[in-house]
Amino acid sequence: MIKAVRGTRDLLPPDTDLWNRVEAKVRDIFARYSFHEIRTPIFEDTQLFSRGVGEETDIVSKEMFTWEDKARAQSEKAQLLTLRPENTAGVVRAYIEHGLDRQGTLQKLYYIGPQFRRERPQKGRYRQFYQIGAEIIGPPSAGSESPARDAEVLEMLATLLDEVGLRDWSLQLNSVGCAEDRARYNKALREALQPVVHQMCADCQRRAETNPLRVLDCKHPEDQPIIERLPKISDYLDQPCREHFAQVRKMLEALNVPYAINERMVRGLDYYTRTTFEFTHGGLGAQSAVLGGGRYDGLSESLDGPKAPGIGFAIGEDRLILALQSQGEQPAEKVQAFVAPLGLGTNGHALTLARELRRAGVSADLGEENFRLKKSFELAEKAGAQYIVIVGENEVASDTFAVKNLATGGQVQVPRSQLVEYLRK
Ligand code: AMP
């Protein structure tokens, strides 16, 4: 038997009802905050990620699905292509490629789609997973660097999580400063790690060499006391970065968005500058981050684009759904009416009636003329229908239908002309 590949999974009804409900809600919220959708390709030139996300990150160094696209002509070079492991680099590439900076305004873009990383699969971690993300990017003259953008994005996320019904989320906030701050902090980390790193796990030993910031992500219990004593990023921020972060915090407080400072949250991607954040939820176990994001003021320039500071986030949709399910969120969308033909020759009449209901916006499921009434009732209940509408010979002759409310058990006769109105109530 051929099965879905490890780390990938099928999303089936009724779960997909919940996925769709969440997506409809977030599209509505994005529209209210004046974001518009962007759809970028699922695979891109590998260099986009190695340069954008960063050679030394976990994603680029070990998690990408990359293949060589054979040259079609002798003059052509074979190209390395990669399934997108994240979507910000693709959005910024599109921003540059289409000259969106020339509009001179802020671009507020969102996306919903699959991403691919070769990770060790476990609950909440898949090799194909889905992200709902958004970016605000534009020239500095349009206000893209302003701490008000950070606050706007974080407030939108708080509203979004509240409105999809997630309870008890928490926001962890940090600032990783600008490139120069990070360079100074990296140097300080290297120096502080040098005498102690031999006591740490193999990953930390490697990271201390290649990317000391990543040491802060280490989850090994034995390494924690050492990590606790390492220098703090906040001591290495320059005055403008300090001031920017203070402004973000002030606005969040004014907006009543609760947050906690987490100085160890430096996030896994090289492009982040200044504000970084994660929202976590207790119902997720080890993979507790529902979403992550931050500012990336230099990303466009590192991809040969114009100066275009930005801020964005990606919600792990799989994890958001898991968190909602851990709270007992019910997936199934109920059908309003079950149309039950009864007796030979009634299928056509039932089809016509179902079509009238559906065209009028009433959701309807349909039975089969040779089913006994008992079986139709069982099917209607299984479909979660509110009403069953019986289409027997008498009903067809009188154009009046027996309608039973499956919750209350009450039954009435309703003329065809009043049926839609009755079922909508
Ligand atoms: P990142 O920017 O890598 O932190 O990703 C943003 C969000 O995507 C995370 O907070 C997770 O919710 C989600 N995510 C990342 N990797 C995976 C994965 N392999 N499987 C499921 N969700 C993921």
Side-chain angles (χ1 to χ4, degrees), residues 117 119 124-126 129 131 267 269 289-292 314 316 319:
R117 297 182 193 173
E119 298 204 76
R125 179 182 279 169
Y126 311 100
F129 60 100
Q131 286 186 334
R267 311 254 320 121
L269 292 73
V290 182
L291 71 92
R319 293 198 195 160

Side-chain angles (χ1 to χ4, degrees), residues 7 9 59 63 85-86 88 111 115-132 267-269 271-272 277-279 284 287-293 313-320:
R9 57 200 189 124
I59 292 179
E63 294 173 356
E86 61 94 59
T88 300
Y111 58 84
Q115 317 292 336
F116 306 84
R117 297 182 193 173
R118 187 183 275 110
E119 298 204 76
R120 200 157 44 81
Q122 62 188 92
K123 189 176 177 201
R125 179 182 279 169
Y126 311 100
R127 290 182 163 190
Q128 173 170 344
F129 60 100
Y130 294 81
Q131 286 186 334
I132 300 171
R267 311 254 320 121
L269 292 73
Y271 54 60
Y272 285 118
F277 54 85
E278 279 183 5
F279 283 70
L284 286 172
Q287 307 302 320
S288 66
V290 182
L291 71 92
F313 61 84
I315 303 172
E317 192 176 0
D318 307 73
R319 293 198 195 160
L320 177 57

